[in-house]
Amino acid sequence: MRERRAARDGRRAREFEVFVAGAGGRLLHAAALLTGEPTGDTEAAERLLTAALARTYARWDRLRGEDPYDHTRRTLAALFAHRGHRYRTPRGGLLARLTPQERLVLVLRLYEGVAEEQTAAALGLPVERVRAICTRAVTAMRSAAPRRSAYGTPPSTGTTPSTGTPPSKDRRMATEAGTGAGAGTGVAP
């Protein structure tokens, strides 16, 4: 009996290690975006992820058929939502200028690709509220991003040298054509 239990525990540990080796980097990056930490300093993100992974490991045998990545992501989001007040002070990360709720919605919606309905259900918010928070967060990030022309250089106040058209028209044309700055990136050119 003990041997079977030891074998099952060993298999469980190996499966979990393989999962963490494959998904740990992406989950850590998501946690760092949530906590608003700069790339090199991820202490709070590591603590948050460790807590989420511990909960996933505790449920590992009961996850039958459920994607462990989705479970860990939901747990990470729930822990962050519960502890979000700890991350109000900007730490210099990419999303540090946003509120914890804005960071959570932006990471779930845009980084993780979770549908609005699923994000709303996970956070206990109406879909319209999630949409409004996401729009507000994207607008805040766009307004803070340095503007670039379709050629990767800051736009001038005159015309674009290669086409003789105003920079705003170049940007619009590049976006409509699906090429150039901002195409498919979600970031303003």
Side-chain angles (χ1 to χ4, degrees):
M1 180 79 160
R2 288 183 188 175
E3 292 172 1
R4 283 193 346 213
R5 183 178 203 145
R8 185 178 62 223
D9 289 345
R11 178 187 46 81
R12 175 185 185 196
R14 283 189 304 277
E15 288 174 356
F16 186 74
E17 287 174 8
V18 168
F19 163 68
V20 172
R26 182 174 172 101
L27 287 166
L28 179 60
H29 186 70
L33 289 172
L34 288 172
T35 59
E37 293 177 306
T39 304
D41 180 26
T42 59
E43 185 178 327
E46 290 171 4
R47 283 194 309 269
L48 186 64
L49 180 57
T50 299
L53 287 171
R55 290 183 182 195
T56 299
Y57 185 71
R59 287 191 43 97
W60 192 257
D61 290 334
R62 293 174 287 196
L63 290 178
R64 294 184 183 104
E66 186 179 348
D67 183 6
Y69 185 87
D70 288 339
H71 181 270
T72 306
R73 181 184 61 219
R74 285 193 312 271
T75 304
L76 183 68
L79 287 170
F80 179 78
H82 181 69
R83 302 173 182 177
H85 60 87
R86 296 180 186 175
Y87 307 107
R88 289 183 195 267
T89 306
R91 291 180 166 88
L94 180 64
L95 304 180
R97 74 182 78 252
L98 303 176
T99 67
Q101 186 180 46
E102 289 171 336
R103 277 185 263 152
L104 181 57
V105 169
L106 206 62
V107 168
L108 288 175
R109 288 285 299 122
L110 302 181
Y111 181 72
E112 289 293 327
V114 178
E116 283 180 342
E117 295 80 15
Q118 291 174 320
T119 301
L123 301 178
L125 297 171
V127 174
E128 297 78 23
R129 179 79 177 128
V130 168
R131 189 175 301 128
I133 292 169
C134 189
T135 300
R136 183 177 65 225
V138 168
T139 301
M141 293 303 294
R142 282 183 174 166
S143 68
R147 301 298 234 170
R148 297 280 178 192
S149 73
Y151 306 102
T153 58
S156 64
T157 55
T159 60
T160 304
S162 62
T163 62
T165 59
S168 60
K169 188 172 182 182
D170 264 357
R171 224 178 287 128
R172 190 175 345 109
M173 288 187 306
T175 303
E176 290 171 359
T179 60
T185 62
V187 179

